[in-house]
Amino acid sequence: MLIKSPSDIPSSEITPESIYNSRREFMRGTMSAAALGVGIAAAPDLLAAPSQVVDKDLPGPDWLKQQIAAAKTNQEKISENLTPYEHVTGYNNFYEYGYDKTDPAAKSHVLKPHPWSVEIAGEVAKPGTYTLEDLLKGVNLEERIYRLRCVEAWSMVVPWVGFPLADLIKRFEPTGNAKFVSFTTLKRPAEMPGQKSSFSTIDWPYREGLRMDEAMHPLTILAVGLYGKVLPNQNGAPLRLVVPWKYGFKYIKSIVKIEFTEKQPKTTWSMIAPDEYGFYANVNPKVSHPRWSQAEERRLPSGLLRPNIVPTQMFNGYADQVAHLYKDMDLRKYY
Ligand code: MTE
């Protein structure tokens, strides 16, 4: 569906198109090289179609469903097709559930994301453990339609429902020493089979981080929903980060801890392969991954017959809004 003016179209009225069901065009994805211990993917992941039947009647408390239903529609104009719901929720990276793109949808139903709480720690005046309900109390949710560009060179356009991370940060009153924000995903091997896998090279829990000005940027949101519905488990329920000018691995899922630090925090992929995945991870078509070009991307849905290749944009198309954050930095060094 071509989105001409998303602000006019509530996400609840956007029905994923059934024409994308030509799944025989697709083959299963190449085995992720992460499983082999060499990185997120050996090469831009070529294929894979969602094979799971996704339950759209997602569980979640009524207060959250009501808040999501009341979300303001997107203010940003984006004249691109939305990626159909079944691809957004059926083609995922969430290594806690396995390395195959279909593992998260197949295996994450075991997790119960409600009730949920998040620990706020470090350089803030108001540390503590807050329930999801506390965190969302009085928050006006918004729909944000953003491009998501994975470092593996595939991309989507997703109608998230969330709120600015900056609004949450202000509530905890960071001290003058808070230069970075670090995020941690749930570690619960009993419900997350990938955390038990002997193939895993990840030092669980999954960790990510942002510089304070990146975290406070108005484009940066915490998402609790997509397509006008509660966030599915495979997409990081109940709370995940969305930073649209960065590669997808920064969008940490199922967050249980947010810590404010003076020093740059350690992040999962930069610990595994620092020469391939940096802390900044800004989308940059001019800086290749050591094993593949980042000049283009495969926009989902994509198949062998219609790969749907589009040029990658600097800062994923958000340069006007974020380039100033990096104006004195060598982006080849700080990738
Ligand atoms: N968060 C956690 N906890 N574990 C992960 O494996 N994968 C990341 C990111 N967040 C990941 C994660 C990667 S590599 C990408 S591309 C995005 O989630 C994918 O988000 P999606 O599955 O909702 O498209």
Side-chain angles (χ1 to χ4, degrees):
M1 180 185 296
L2 186 65
I3 306 303
K4 293 203 173 97
S5 175
S7 54
D8 298 330
I9 308 171
S11 63
S12 53
E13 285 175 28
I14 299 167
T15 310
E17 295 172 42
S18 54
I19 57 165
Y20 293 111
N21 288 338
S22 54
R23 289 177 183 159
R24 264 165 276 158
E25 284 179 22
F26 295 84
M27 288 161 48
R28 296 295 292 276
T30 46
M31 187 181 185
S32 166
L36 306 172
V38 293
I40 288 186
D45 182 62
L46 286 174
L47 318 154
S51 58
Q52 312 304 322
V53 176
V54 179
D55 177 13
K56 295 186 187 180
D57 187 20
L58 296 158
D62 287 344
W63 63 263
L64 180 59
K65 290 181 175 170
Q66 281 159 15
Q67 231 169 311
I68 289 173
K72 274 191 294 178
T73 51
N74 190 270
Q75 300 303 309
E76 291 269 319
K77 299 275 185 277
I78 186 166
S79 53
E80 289 167 61
N81 293 339
L82 285 189
T83 304
Y85 183 84
E86 58 265 43
H87 289 259
V88 174
T89 60
Y91 185 96
N92 300 100
N93 277 340
F94 200 167
Y95 291 147
E96 283 83 341
Y97 296 105
Y99 292 114
D100 197 289
K101 294 284 186 281
T102 55
D103 282 337
K107 299 179 184 169
S108 63
H109 58 275
V110 183
L111 183 79
K112 299 279 170 277
H114 303 283
W116 191 267
S117 54
V118 178
E119 183 189 346
I120 306 294
E123 293 289 345
V124 278
K126 296 180 175 169
T129 298
Y130 297 83
T131 64
L132 187 69
E133 205 167 353
D134 289 337
L135 299 179
L136 290 180
K137 207 163 278 167
V139 169
N140 292 318
L141 296 176
E142 314 165 31
E143 180 184 69
R144 299 275 186 107
I145 299 177
Y146 285 156
R147 285 175 288 275
L148 181 162
R149 170 56 158 88
C150 178
V151 75
E152 296 166 344
W154 53 264
S155 63
M156 302 188 186
V157 179
V158 183
W160 303 106
V161 179
F163 60 102
L165 174 61
D167 292 354
L168 191 76
I169 289 179
K170 285 178 206 152
R171 279 171 54 186
F172 302 118
E173 299 174 14
T175 71
N177 293 333
K179 305 278 189 284
F180 295 89
V181 191
S182 85
F183 304 86
T184 308
T185 293
L186 180 72
K187 183 175 177 186
R188 202 178 284 166
E191 292 167 39
M192 296 178 141
Q195 292 180 336
K196 287 188 289 197
S197 164
S198 49
F199 289 111
S200 179
T201 54
I202 297 177
D203 176 16
W204 306 106
Y206 194 97
R207 276 162 273 182
E208 257 310 332
L210 294 173
R211 221 170 54 188
M212 198 64 173
D213 56 348
E214 298 175 321
M216 296 297 288
H217 192 282
L219 286 177
T220 305
I221 61 166
L222 287 172
V224 293
L226 56 82
Y227 264 106
K229 296 172 189 294
V230 173
L231 203 61
N233 282 0
Q234 60 268 33
N235 294 92
L239 188 71
R240 62 99 53 92
L241 185 66
V242 175
V243 202
W245 70 95
K246 293 183 179 281
Y247 289 121
F249 67 87
K250 299 295 286 183
Y251 297 39
I252 184 170
K253 297 178 171 181
S254 304
I255 295 167
V256 291
K257 185 172 178 187
I258 301 178
E259 184 172 8
F260 295 80
T261 60
E262 191 160 9
K263 294 209 174 99
Q264 182 175 304
K266 290 195 155 101
T267 57
T268 290
W269 284 102
S270 66
M271 286 192 288
I272 294 171
D275 50 336
E276 301 190 9
Y277 310 106
F279 175 80
Y280 284 93
N282 292 319
V283 174
N284 189 340
K286 292 184 216 132
V287 177
S288 296
H289 183 278
R291 288 177 283 126
W292 60 82
S293 162
Q294 295 291 23
E296 295 181 327
E297 64 204 53
R298 203 168 45 86
R299 175 64 52 82
L300 300 185
S302 148
L304 285 181
L305 301 182
R306 277 174 298 188
N308 202 16
I309 305 295
V310 298
T312 291
Q313 302 179 64
M314 189 64 204
F315 294 113
N316 204 22
Y318 302 98
D320 287 357
Q321 294 159 81
V322 301
H324 68 277
L325 298 177
Y326 312 101
K327 68 177 175 357
D328 296 323
M329 289 173 67
D330 176 353
L331 297 179
R332 293 194 171 274
K333 188 168 168 207
Y334 296 101
Y335 50 90

